[in-house]
Amino acid sequence: QVQLVESGGGLVQPGGSLRLSCAASGFTLDSTYIAWFRQAPGKEREGVSCFSGRDGSTYYSNSVKGRFTISRDNAKNTVYLQMNSLKAEDTAVYYCAADGECLRAGSGSFFYTGFGSWGQGTQVTVSS
């Protein structure tokens, strides 16, 4: 049974940093894509970052590129999202998801499809 558990959210001041964790069970990270999404109140869900366990490729939305870094720890079967230089507009519930696919877009961002397994989400609030 696939299970994803996020942690690491919280309240941080603008310009600060947080590291989110997504602990996976029921599958291994090198078998699929893992992605981070976020959804702010009244806004559509946005794909933030994606990691290919098959070849190590990473993908970022243009809104977070250069500030966020996705990584994995195979020994812990965990994916991380390091978020630096946080802005108020980064405030959202962040979710990790698996069992999908990510494709690089010509704009420098990425498309995603088919993510069927989701965690419960963790709140990130950026405010002074």
Side-chain angles (χ1 to χ4, degrees):
Q1 180 182 359
V2 173
Q3 187 173 15
L4 300 166
V5 179
E6 302 98 333
S7 61
L11 173 65
V12 63
Q13 292 186 343
S17 298
L18 280 176
R19 189 179 77 159
L20 305 183
S21 300
C22 174
S25 60
F27 67 100
T28 56
L29 295 179
D30 59 3
S31 66
T32 189
Y33 291 83
I34 296 282
W36 285 96
F37 297 82
R38 67 186 181 188
Q39 189 163 22
K43 295 188 176 181
E44 292 187 356
R45 184 178 64 197
E46 175 189 9
V48 174
S49 183
C50 182
F51 181 90
S52 169
R54 297 164 188 166
D55 63 11
S57 296
T58 57
Y59 308 77
Y60 299 95
S61 68
N62 288 331
S63 61
V64 307
K65 194 173 295 183
R67 300 188 297 122
F68 291 12
T69 303
I70 192 169
S71 63
R72 68 172 171 181
D73 184 330
N74 283 344
K76 296 182 179 180
N77 217 39
T78 297
V79 172
Y80 303 99
L81 186 68
Q82 177 67 42
M83 306 186 297
N84 299 328
S85 301
L86 283 161
K87 306 175 182 179
E89 51 264 43
D90 295 318
T91 296
V93 178
Y94 284 70
Y95 301 89
C96 65
D99 294 340
E101 185 173 1
C102 297
L103 300 167
R104 213 168 295 281
S107 64
S109 186
F110 69 99
F111 300 110
Y112 55 87
T113 183
F115 282 89
S117 299
W118 293 79
Q120 82 288 350
T122 185
Q123 176 71 47
V124 171
T125 303
V126 184
S127 175
S128 56

